[in-house]
Amino acid sequence: MDGAFASASAISDQRQKIEQYKLILSSVITSSDIGQAKKFIDHMLSDDVPLVVSRQLLQIFAQELGRLEPESQKEIAHYTLTQIQPRVVSFEEQVLIIREKLAELYESEQLWSKAAQMLSGIDLDSTMRVIDDTFRLSKCVQIARLYLEDDDAVNAEAFINKASFLVSNSQHEVLNLQYKVCYARILDLKRKFLEAALRYYDISQIEKRQIGDEWIDEEALEQALSAAVTCTILAAAGPQRSRVLATLYKDERCSKLKIYPILQKVYLERILRKPEIDAFAEELKAHQKALLPDNFTVLDRAMIEHNLLSASKLYTNISFDELGTLLGIAPQKTGGIGLGEHVVRVIYPDMMALIAEKIASRMIYEDRMRGSIDQVEAVIHFEDDTEELQQWDQQIVGLCQALNDVLDSMAKKGLSIPV
């Protein structure tokens, strides 16, 4: 091998030199010998080989990597990237091909994060070669999608944020759609359920069935709509959630979904019982059932808040003890209350009552529920906004009548009335 290298490097004619190195490279790839491949890389990166020659040969080498066995391909590719690093500016195109090959290999083995890490090493801001915004956007979205396969919202968000600066000027409809899907999934994983629901619902309303070379089937749109419903149900109870629930409930497509019965009950503000909640839990993903710092799961928190809001429509007032029982708060769910055991025992005989008060007080404070708390009597009083709505209606009626009186007066005086 050393003799072949010396012979090739001694050739003065550049075209003949390249042809000779191609023959050596062909024998290296055919033999699948890792040691010979490493020697070839070392020689290509040495001062004995002109840069114009080494670039061309390493380009061919990178493209031929796929012919090797997966494990050999990994070892040689990683070795090449390590050796080429000090001169990476001179071999950016070759590094790009190697990283894409490795990423494809990791992706075929479902090693999503490794594939994403390999692609994230590509310099998308290089000044040494021309990179258009479409290529940058495609790589950012691809990396984010790979991270999302491992539910890694943090790293995925970093690349989606980069893509957000490019997508506004993009005319590539497929990439734009992939960006929207990734963004919705990131919001979902970060438990920003209401924002995620709006994004999913927007995706579900796509009218085109073919975007570029991609076909969008009804099942994919139904999945997006179902995700929108799920995220809305899991969102914090309050006026904003109610508005989104109304939009979904009035969408005829939702009636065909498996989770429509629970959507209907949530929209109609009916109290949900344990069997219904357990059935809904079977449709959820792991992060949607994750344990929160206060020892409740994401689903527990959403269902308790919903039932509390529903109870506010049924009762004028209710004691904390009765409210805790009504909400179905398990006695063991006592983490994160922030009061000592002695204080809890003296003030509240039942821990469920304290948890019910804590959740209710937070919802009132955040203006997601109208009411007041009497801690002395251990009672929560709910406020009905019907009276305010009636007053508002009366004010509108009064305004309309006053306007009619003005118009009638103008007509009697023979003044023209603009229409």
Side-chain angles (χ1 to χ4, degrees), residues 317-324 347-350 353-354 356-357 372-381:
N317 56 62
I318 188 172
S319 69
F320 293 145
D321 289 333
E322 291 175 351
L323 183 60
I347 301 177
Y348 299 99
D350 190 348
L354 176 59
E357 182 200 356
S372 59
I373 294 174
D374 185 340
Q375 290 184 315
V376 176
E377 298 294 331
V379 172
I380 178 170
H381 297 275

Side-chain angles (χ1 to χ4, degrees), residues 344-361:
V344 172
R345 187 170 58 251
V346 171
I347 301 177
Y348 299 99
D350 190 348
M351 180 62 77
M352 292 189 296
L354 176 59
I355 299 172
E357 182 200 356
K358 183 177 177 67
I359 295 172
S361 63

Side-chain angles (χ1 to χ4, degrees), residues 82-297:
T82 302
Q83 296 302 107
I84 216 171
Q85 187 58 39
R87 300 176 62 189
V88 68
V89 176
S90 302
F91 298 98
E92 287 187 349
E93 190 66 34
Q94 293 74 17
V95 167
L96 169 66
I97 296 171
I98 293 170
R99 286 188 174 277
E100 286 183 330
K101 291 279 186 184
L102 266 179
E104 286 178 14
L105 183 56
Y106 283 132
E107 193 172 347
S108 68
E109 296 174 351
Q110 297 187 353
L111 299 172
W112 312 113
S113 291
K114 281 192 173 183
Q117 288 164 8
M118 191 52 58
L119 290 176
S120 63
I122 298 171
D123 186 2
L124 297 176
D125 300 315
S126 172
T127 56
M128 300 301 293
R129 59 195 177 95
V130 178
I131 304 175
D132 63 18
D133 286 346
T134 300
F135 179 80
R136 288 193 181 93
L137 178 61
S138 68
K139 287 304 167 193
C140 287
V141 170
Q142 185 182 1
I143 293 167
R145 291 175 70 186
L146 289 168
Y147 275 125
L148 286 172
E149 290 294 332
D150 278 341
D151 290 342
D152 186 348
V154 176
N155 283 313
E157 186 177 26
F159 285 92
I160 281 298
N161 286 341
K162 290 181 181 180
S164 64
F165 294 103
L166 304 168
V167 74
S168 57
N169 296 322
S170 172
Q171 302 299 318
H172 199 294
E173 292 183 308
V174 174
L175 285 177
N176 295 349
L177 177 58
Q178 291 174 348
Y179 167 83
K180 289 180 179 179
V181 172
C182 287
Y183 192 49
R185 289 185 61 192
I186 288 169
L187 291 171
D188 189 351
L189 285 167
K190 293 182 71 178
R191 299 172 195 154
K192 295 182 178 180
F193 292 120
L194 201 58
E195 294 177 58
L198 293 172
R199 298 283 177 172
Y200 281 131
Y201 187 63
D202 182 52
I203 293 168
S204 75
Q205 291 181 302
I206 293 173
E207 295 180 357
K208 289 184 178 180
R209 290 298 174 265
Q210 184 178 6
I211 299 179
D213 296 331
E214 297 276 334
W215 283 91
I216 301 175
D217 56 17
E218 292 297 331
E219 185 179 352
L221 297 177
E222 186 177 306
Q223 287 176 353
L225 184 62
S226 181
V229 172
T230 299
C231 287
T232 306
I233 292 172
L234 292 175
Q240 288 183 314
R241 174 176 177 261
S242 298
R243 284 193 288 271
V244 180
L245 280 170
T247 300
L248 291 169
Y249 184 71
K250 293 172 184 176
D251 192 319
E252 295 179 357
R253 298 175 299 161
C254 289
S255 61
K256 301 175 184 177
L257 298 177
K258 186 178 179 181
I259 57 176
Y260 177 72
I262 193 167
L263 168 64
Q264 187 176 38
K265 286 202 167 187
V266 171
Y267 170 71
L268 297 174
E269 296 180 332
R270 295 173 182 170
I271 292 175
L272 298 172
R273 303 299 179 185
K274 191 175 186 304
E276 297 165 329
I277 296 172
D278 291 342
F280 178 57
E282 293 177 1
E283 305 297 322
L284 301 182
K285 298 175 182 176
H287 73 276
Q288 294 170 335
K289 297 184 285 185
L291 194 65
L292 299 172
D294 60 4
N295 212 31
F296 286 94
T297 66

